[in-house]
C-alpha cells in the first residue's frame, strides 16, 4: 500500500511538472483560467463562509471552556486566531475545495477521456494538457489563498460574535490580545499553505481524470480516488509544510 502511495505521488508530481509550464506556451489560455477560477473560487464562497463561521465559533467555545478552568479566558481570542490562520484555515479550505471542485475536475476530465474527446483534441492538433489541465492547475493555485483569506476572516468574525456577544468577554481585551500575539507571518503561513494545497489537489484530480479508463465505472473511480487521495495528501503535506515554514522563520530570525 505504501509503495503504491509513493508511486502515485511521484507520477502526480511528474504530471504537474509536465503540465504547468504549458500555460506559458502559445496559444495562451487566460480565458480558461478565469473560467476555472470562477468555478473553483466563486462557487465555493458560500460553503467556505458557512464552514468558517461555525468553525470559528465552535473552536472559540471549546477553548473558552478549557481556559475558563484556569482563569485565562483573555487568551481565547489570540489562541483562536493563531489556530485559524496557521492550521485550520488552510487545511479545512483545502479539504472542502478538494471535495467540491477537485472532484468535479476529475469527473469532467475522466468523462472527456472515456468518451474519447481528449483523443479527438490530440487528433486535431490541440494539446489537451495545455487546454484542459494547465488552466485548472493555475486556477487552483490562485483561488485557494483567496478562499483561505475569506475563511480566516469569517471564522474570526464568528469567534468575535461568540466571545463578545454570547460569552461576554471584554471586546477591547479580545482585539488587543489578538493584535499583540498575531503576527503577519502567521497569516502569510496559512496563505502559502493554501496555495500549496491548491496545487496538490489540482494536480491529483486532473491526473486521475486525465488517465481514467473503463467507461462510466472508470469515471466514478477516478473521481473517488482523486478526492480521497487529495484529502490524504493535503494532511500529509500540511505536516511537512508547517515544519519547513517554521524552520525558515527560525533561520530568518537567527540571522
Amino acid at each position: 500500500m505504501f509503495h503504491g502511495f509513493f508511486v502515485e505521488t511521484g507520477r502526480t508530481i511528474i504530471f504537474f511538472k509536465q503540465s504547468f509550464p504549458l500555460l506559458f506556451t502559445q496559444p495562451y489560455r487566460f480565458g480558461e483560467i478565469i473560467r476555472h477560477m470562477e468555478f473553483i473560487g466563486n462557487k465555493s464562497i458560500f460553503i467556505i463562509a458557512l464552514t468558517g463561521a461555525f468553525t470559528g465559533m465552535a473552536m472559540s467555545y471549546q477553548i473558552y471552556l478549557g481556559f475558563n478552568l484556569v482563569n485565562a479566558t483573555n487568551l481565547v481570542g489570540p489562541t483562536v486566531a493563531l489556530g485559524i490562520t496557521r492550521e485550520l484555515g488552510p487545511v479545512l479550505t483545502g479539504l472542502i475545495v478538494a471535495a467540491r471542485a477537485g472532484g468535479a475536475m476529475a469527473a469532467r476530465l475522466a468523462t472527456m477521456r472515456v468518451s474519447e474527446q481528449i483523443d479527438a483534441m490530440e487528433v486535431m492538433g490541440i494539446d489537451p494538457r495545455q487546454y484542459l489541465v494547465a488552466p485548472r492547475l493555475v486556477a487552483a493555485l490562485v483561488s485557494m489563498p483567496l478562499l483561505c483569506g475569506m475563511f480566516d476572516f469569517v471564522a474570526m468574525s464568528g469567534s468575535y460574535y461568540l466571545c463578545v456577544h454570547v460569552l461576554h468577554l471584554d471586546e477591547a481585551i479580545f482585539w488587543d490580545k489578538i493584535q499583540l500575539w498575531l503576527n503577519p507571518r502567521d497569516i502569510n503561513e496559512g496563505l502559502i499553505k493554501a496555495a500549496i494545497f491548491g496545487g496538490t489537489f489540482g494536480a491529483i484530480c486532473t491526473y486521475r481524470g486525465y488517465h481514467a479508463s473503463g467507461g462510466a465505472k472508470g469515471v466514478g473511480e477516478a473521481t473517488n480516488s482523486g478526492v480521497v487521495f487529495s484529502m490524504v495528501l493535503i494532511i500529509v503535506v500540511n505536516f511537512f509544510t508547517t515544519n519547513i515554514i517554521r524552520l525558515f522563520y527560525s533561520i530568518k530570525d537567527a540571522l
Side-chain angles (χ1 to χ4, degrees):
M1 177 179 289
F2 286 105
H3 178 264
F5 175 80
F6 288 115
V7 169
E8 286 300 305
T9 302
R11 288 175 177 170
T12 303
I13 293 173
I14 294 172
F15 182 76
F16 179 86
K17 289 178 64 178
Q18 292 174 342
S19 302
F20 188 80
L22 295 175
L23 185 76
F24 305 102
T25 60
Q26 293 182 339
Y28 303 114
R29 308 290 185 182
F30 295 122
E32 288 296 307
I33 296 175
I34 300 299
R35 190 168 68 85
H36 291 302
M37 282 183 65
E38 192 273 338
F39 174 74
I40 296 172
N42 188 44
K43 293 187 178 179
S44 300
I45 287 177
F46 176 74
I47 189 171
I48 290 297
L50 188 66
T51 308
F54 283 97
T55 299
M57 289 191 288
M59 186 176 178
S60 299
Y61 190 54
Q62 289 295 335
I63 292 176
Y64 170 82
L65 293 176
F67 282 12
N68 192 41
L69 298 175
V70 293
N71 196 26
T73 54
N74 290 340
L75 301 179
V76 172
T79 304
V80 173
L82 290 173
I84 291 291
T85 54
R86 286 181 181 178
E87 290 295 329
L88 281 182
V91 171
L92 286 182
T93 303
L95 296 178
I96 293 169
V97 180
R100 195 200 72 79
M105 290 161 58
R108 175 62 175 160
L109 291 179
T111 302
M112 295 183 71
R113 170 60 76 184
V114 300
S115 61
E116 299 182 349
Q117 294 180 56
I118 293 179
D119 298 329
M121 293 176 67
E122 292 174 340
V123 171
M124 291 186 292
I126 300 173
D127 189 339
R129 291 193 182 191
Q130 188 206 20
Y131 186 72
L132 299 173
V133 177
R136 285 177 167 85
L137 294 176
V138 175
L141 282 168
V142 175
S143 299
M144 276 295 294
L146 300 175
L147 290 172
C148 179
M150 195 191 70
F151 183 99
D152 294 348
F153 174 78
V154 176
M156 287 311 302
S157 299
S159 175
Y160 164 78
Y161 174 78
L162 186 87
C163 291
V164 175
H165 295 287
V166 178
L167 302 176
H168 303 294
L169 300 182
D170 187 276
E171 181 178 1
I173 294 178
F174 179 85
W175 290 118
D176 182 64
K177 293 295 183 183
I178 290 177
Q179 293 178 17
L180 183 65
W181 282 36
L182 188 65
N183 194 297
R185 65 170 54 177
D186 298 317
I187 300 174
N188 293 335
E189 177 180 340
L191 299 181
I192 292 170
K193 289 163 72 171
I196 294 173
F197 297 159
T200 300
F201 82 75
I204 292 172
C205 291
T206 53
Y207 170 78
R208 295 295 173 127
Y210 191 83
H211 293 94
S213 61
K217 181 182 177 183
V219 174
E221 290 176 349
T223 304
N224 182 62
S225 64
V227 172
V228 172
F229 196 49
S230 295
M231 289 182 165
V232 172
L233 208 58
I234 283 174
I235 300 297
V236 174
V237 169
N238 177 59
F239 171 78
F240 291 104
T241 306
T242 299
N243 284 278
I244 291 172
I245 293 176
R246 289 290 108 194
L247 178 63
F248 172 77
Y249 283 151
S250 300
I251 295 174
K252 187 177 179 181
D253 292 338
L255 295 177

